[in-house]
Amino acid sequence: MKITSLFNSGKTVFSFEVFPPKKDSPIESVYGKLEEICALKPDFISVTYGAGGTGAHSRTCEIAAKIKRDFHVESVAHLTCVNSTKTMIDETLADFKAHDIENILALRGDYTEGVAPQTDFRYASELCAYIRRHGGFDISGACYPESHMDSADEIEDVLNLKKKVDAGAQHLISQLFFDNELFYRFMERAKIAGINVPVEAGIMPVTNKRQIERMVSLCGASLPTKFAKIMQKYESKPEALRDAGIAYAVEQIVDLIANGVDGIHLYTMNSPYVAEKITRAVENLL
Ligand code: FAD
């Protein structure tokens, strides 16, 4: 199934993100968790893609195929291009097709320290256009409520996003954020720029202190005082912090749905516990 059809149903789309295990762990090590996560029946599950190069797509492909074939949930394979040549992308697309994967989240990817990027694709928009020419896939793209770190300002960021949509991105998934007002302002900018494709809000339930530090340094998401206070209060009580993180994410989701968001994309961090708590809290609201 092509996932863009989900946005015509009148229901708020509810999707998950999972990641493959590290290279030194057997791929089967995530299957148990995946089965539990899939049993929650989200509208689709997207599978992240490791830092590029030859063979980087294989775990993403295998997991996305398994989610669809064995656990009966539609899947989306992430695909980055910064470390790939056109030939490598051609091979990956052929592999996706052979595994019945119909949806791709097309990304530039982050530059790897010490690795010179390939030059065939400079931006995600170029990958979107390439996949569109290839045909056969629904194409999604990433967007950034607080702007991408490389953008000079919000205007440049949204104008580049418009190029990505014009190049073929039919649906957008946002970077995580902890302040819904930032998302609403981004949606206004997107509308002014003429971006009319569905946008899912990326929600990350923060459940431990290390995760917060990593998230802030990696993606630069700002932390509202309300959020920082909760995290500070429970930082030395892991269970309380986890429950507070889940409650915060649920509050964000309720507000987003009330404000007519097209979809919620939950960064599950491969945790069936967190995914289930949040699903149960919001499933009647979608
Ligand atoms: P782009 O859309 O290419 O944007 C990157 C920068 O280039 C922006 O500043 C943009 O404004 C600018 N730009 C774009 N087009 C132009 C242009 N024509 N001219 C000038 N400037 C331009 N990373 C992974 O490695 N694996 C994953 O699985 C993964 N999944 C992700 C999922 C989501 C939902 C999100 C939000 C991010 C994900 N990332 C992943 C991270 C992503 O790869 C990085 O954020 C990366 O730095 C940018 O990728 P992009 O596709 O958004 O890039």
Side-chain angles (χ1 to χ4, degrees):
M1 185 229 309
K2 303 277 198 297
I3 59 155
T4 39
S5 65
L6 293 165
F7 294 93
N8 303 323
S9 70
K11 164 186 172 290
T12 312
V13 170
F14 189 58
S15 60
F16 292 166
E17 181 172 300
V18 298
F19 52 82
K22 290 208 173 82
K23 277 193 199 122
D24 48 8
S25 303
I27 191 155
E28 296 78 15
S29 62
V30 288
Y31 286 173
K33 283 183 178 172
L34 282 184
E35 190 168 7
E36 286 182 61
I37 289 173
C38 290
L40 299 169
K41 294 283 168 219
D43 290 309
F44 69 86
I45 297 184
S46 77
V47 185
T48 64
Y49 188 90
T54 316
H57 70 272
S58 65
R59 288 200 152 188
T60 302
C61 182
E62 215 172 313
I63 290 177
K66 187 164 181 75
I67 287 173
K68 182 169 177 172
R69 184 188 60 234
D70 297 343
F71 302 141
H72 313 293
V73 176
E74 191 49 62
S75 63
V76 174
H78 295 206
L79 174 60
T80 68
C81 58
V82 72
N83 292 324
S84 295
T85 59
K86 283 186 178 164
T87 311
M88 288 153 86
I89 294 293
D90 287 341
E91 283 166 13
T92 304
L93 296 181
D95 215 13
F96 284 173
K97 214 157 241 178
H99 284 82
D100 198 25
I101 292 164
E102 296 177 72
N103 304 286
I104 297 177
L105 174 57
L107 299 146
R108 183 195 72 182
D110 287 319
Y111 300 113
T112 318
E113 228 183 284
V115 177
Q118 294 288 347
T119 51
D120 283 356
F121 303 95
R122 288 167 307 158
Y123 304 111
S125 54
E126 294 175 353
L127 180 62
C128 288
Y130 193 76
I131 300 171
R132 183 161 73 175
R133 276 199 301 279
H134 183 282
F137 295 101
D138 244 35
I139 307 166
S140 303
C143 63
Y144 301 83
E146 299 184 64
S147 296
H148 187 271
M149 286 186 189
D150 296 353
S151 299
D153 54 41
E154 292 175 345
I155 305 297
E156 182 186 296
D157 194 66
V158 83
L159 292 176
N160 284 331
L161 184 61
K162 174 75 166 75
K163 289 182 198 163
K164 183 152 63 179
V165 170
D166 290 345
Q170 298 155 280
H171 151 243
L172 299 170
I173 302 181
S174 93
Q175 181 60 281
L176 62 96
F177 58 90
F178 299 106
D179 178 352
N180 288 0
E181 288 308 317
L182 297 171
F183 181 79
Y184 299 140
R185 268 184 253 146
F186 160 75
M187 288 301 288
E188 280 171 16
R189 289 195 297 281
K191 207 170 182 181
I192 292 167
I195 296 169
N196 296 314
V197 297
V199 181
E200 279 193 274
I203 296 295
M204 160 84 71
V206 171
T207 54
N208 66 63
K209 196 164 169 262
R210 231 187 82 235
Q211 193 190 350
I212 308 168
E213 286 155 4
R214 212 174 114 75
M215 283 309 126
V216 174
S217 75
L218 272 183
C219 73
S222 54
L223 299 182
T225 314
K226 179 179 159 188
F227 179 85
K229 282 204 165 144
I230 296 171
M231 296 301 132
Q232 215 174 1
K233 179 159 175 71
Y234 300 115
E235 64 183 346
S236 56
K237 295 181 182 157
E239 282 189 4
L241 182 68
R242 181 194 63 195
D243 290 350
I246 291 172
Y248 192 91
V250 168
E251 197 181 311
Q252 270 193 289
I253 295 171
V254 172
D255 179 67
L256 286 160
I257 296 173
N259 279 280
V261 72
D262 296 311
I264 301 291
H265 189 68
L266 191 68
Y267 295 102
T268 68
M269 305 302 289
N270 289 6
S271 165
Y273 178 88
V274 172
E276 179 169 11
K277 286 278 174 209
I278 293 183
T279 303
R280 298 295 171 235
V282 306
E283 61 192 346
N284 292 332
L285 316 179
L286 299 168

